[in-house]
Amino acid sequence: PSRDTGTQLDLMVALDGSGSAHIVQGTLHWPEGNRLPGLEAIALQGSLDFGPDNSWSRVRADCRRVELVQGHRWRLALRDLSLDLDHTAAFQALPLPVGRLSVGEARLLSNALEGDLVLRGVEVTAASSAETALLDLTIVHRVSELRLGGEVYGPAEIRLRVAGLSGPGLAKVGETLRAAWLPLLARDASAAAHLDTLAAEMIELLDHRPSLWGVVQVTAPEDWLQAEIALRPTGLRGRDAPRPVLADLSGEAELNMPESLPRKILTGWLRSRLPEQKRPGTRRAPTSQELETQIAVAVERQLGRLLRQQLLVPHGEELRMRARLGGGLLAINGRTFPLRPDAPSP
C-alpha cells in the first residue's frame, strides 16, 4: 500500500495449523494499477479464525467506508460494511459458506449512467449444506431502497437457490478456475486449454441435473415487479453437435407487473438514446416538447409490438408473461418456438 496508517495486526498459529488473526487499521490506500481500480478503506477492523488444513474458518469484519476508483470512468463508495461469514470444507476443501454481508449505502458514479446509482440497506445472506456428494446453496439479496435518475424503488429482494449440485464436480471447476486465473490475466496462450477444460467440466457438472430456483420482487411508490424462474438440465453429456444450451434445459418462468412499469422503462431507455440533435433535412434541433412527443409515440409502438407478439399479455391492469421450456421448445404465453432443428413441430 502507498499509504497505511494506524495498522495493528495480531497473528497466532498453533502447531496443528489452526489459528487466528486480528487486524485494526486506520486508513488503507492502494493506488490504481494495471486494469485494477484504486482502493481506499477507512476504519477497517476484523478477525479470522481458522482450523487445520483449512477445514473451517470464521471471518468477522467491519469498515466505515470503502471507495473504489477507476480513473474518470467510475467511482464506487461503500459505507458501513459488515461481514459475518463461516465456512466448512467438503469435497477436496470446497468451502460451504454460511453468513451475511451488509452495506449501509452503496453509491456508484459512472459515465454510463445519468446521475448516481444509490442503494441503501443492502444485505446478502448465504446458506449451504451438503448431503452425500450433493450441495444446496441459497443466496438472498435484499435492498431497502434504490435510487437512479430521480426514480426511487424498493424494497427489493432476489432469492436464488441451487439444489443437487455435484460437490466433487464443483471442486474440479474451482481448481480449473484457480489454474486459469493467472494465464487469463497475462493473456498467456495456455489460457485457451484451461478454458476448454473448464467448458467440459461445466457440462459434466450440469449433467448431474441440479435445479435452480429464482424469485425477484421489487416495489416502488407506483410500480412493482414479481418474477419467478425454475430451471433443470435434461442432460448435456454426449452432445453430438453444437446447439444452444437452452435446448438442453427444462423449466418454467412467470412475470407480473403493472402496465405503467414497461412504459416507464421504455421511456427512460428511449430518452437516454435520443439526443437533442437536428433531424435530417431540418435547420434546427427539435424542442424538448417535440422530443417528448417522439418518445411517447415510440413507447406506444414498442409496447404495442410486445402485446401483438403476445410476449406480454394484459390481465386487468397488469401485464403477465408465462413461459415453459422443455423438449427443445420454448412456449411464451401459448406461442411455441423451436430451439433446435430436431425439436418437434409446435
Side-chain angles (χ1 to χ4, degrees):
S2 62
R3 187 171 76 250
D4 180 357
T5 62
T7 300
Q8 177 182 340
L9 175 64
D10 299 319
L11 175 64
M12 295 181 291
V13 180
L15 293 177
D16 65 354
S18 62
S20 64
H22 299 267
I23 185 171
V24 177
Q25 192 155 29
T27 301
L28 170 66
H29 178 79
W30 199 284
E32 292 185 46
N34 183 24
R35 301 180 185 175
L36 295 176
L39 167 69
E40 184 172 71
I42 296 176
L44 171 66
Q45 59 181 348
S47 64
L48 167 65
D49 300 296
F50 52 91
D53 299 322
N54 197 33
S55 56
W56 62 270
S57 70
R58 183 176 187 181
V59 179
R60 303 290 182 269
D62 296 284
C63 190
R64 185 190 309 159
R65 185 168 66 86
V66 174
E67 192 165 295
L68 297 167
V69 180
Q70 184 73 67
H72 297 289
R73 287 180 291 178
W74 60 267
R75 176 187 298 267
L76 175 63
L78 307 174
R79 180 175 56 80
D80 297 332
L81 282 79
S82 179
L83 176 65
D84 189 337
L85 182 65
D86 295 310
H87 103 261
T88 55
F91 313 119
Q92 306 173 31
L94 179 73
L96 299 178
V98 176
R100 173 180 177 270
L101 169 67
S102 65
V103 181
E105 180 182 277
R107 184 180 295 267
L108 175 64
L109 292 80
S110 171
N111 295 335
L113 297 175
E114 292 187 3
D116 299 356
L117 172 63
V118 182
L119 289 82
R120 294 191 174 98
V122 180
E123 179 181 273
V124 181
T125 60
S128 57
S129 62
E131 183 176 347
T132 62
L134 300 178
L135 303 180
D136 278 13
L137 174 64
T138 301
I139 297 177
V140 180
H141 183 187
R142 296 185 179 93
V143 177
S144 63
E145 182 181 277
L146 184 152
R147 291 178 176 266
L148 177 63
E151 299 290 341
V152 181
Y153 302 93
E157 179 176 288
I158 300 174
R159 196 176 281 268
L160 295 174
R161 182 188 174 208
V162 181
L165 196 62
S166 167
L170 191 59
K172 288 171 62 178
V173 169
E175 291 175 0
T176 302
L177 282 173
R178 285 191 292 271
W181 181 245
L182 289 178
L184 282 172
L185 287 179
R187 297 187 177 182
D188 190 271
S190 63
H194 288 298
L195 292 177
D196 288 342
T197 301
L198 182 63
E201 290 174 349
M202 288 296 293
I203 289 177
E204 183 178 354
L205 182 66
L206 292 176
D207 197 58
H208 289 275
R209 301 189 182 184
S211 298
L212 169 69
W213 290 273
V215 178
V216 178
Q217 294 180 321
V218 182
T219 62
E222 299 178 358
D223 298 307
W224 52 269
L225 173 73
Q226 291 181 334
E228 296 186 27
I229 185 171
L231 288 174
R232 295 170 299 277
T234 55
L236 299 173
R237 192 186 301 274
R239 287 162 59 117
D240 54 358
R243 63 175 185 257
V245 173
L246 282 176
D248 295 297
L249 298 175
S250 65
E252 303 83 31
E254 296 184 5
L255 177 65
N256 302 288
M257 70 185 100
E259 187 177 331
S260 59
L261 183 58
R263 292 180 187 276
K264 184 176 292 185
I265 293 173
L266 287 170
T267 298
W269 180 74
L270 289 170
R271 187 175 288 137
S272 67
R273 294 174 177 269
L274 193 61
E276 295 190 12
Q277 58 185 1
K278 291 194 301 182
R279 290 173 296 201
T282 66
R283 295 183 178 181
R284 64 175 181 85
T287 65
S288 59
Q289 183 176 356
E290 289 172 335
L291 283 173
E292 290 302 316
T293 301
Q294 292 177 37
I295 291 172
V297 171
V299 166
E300 293 304 317
R301 185 184 303 120
Q302 294 282 357
L303 185 57
R305 183 178 294 119
L306 292 173
L307 295 174
R308 287 193 301 273
Q309 294 174 345
Q310 296 184 357
L311 298 178
L312 292 173
V313 174
H315 185 82
E317 296 183 354
E318 299 179 12
L319 293 177
R320 293 184 173 182
M321 186 272 287
R322 300 291 185 269
R324 181 176 295 274
L325 186 66
L329 298 173
L330 173 63
I332 300 179
N333 293 328
R335 293 190 64 191
T336 304
F337 307 90
L339 297 176
R340 64 188 192 210
D342 60 338
S345 300

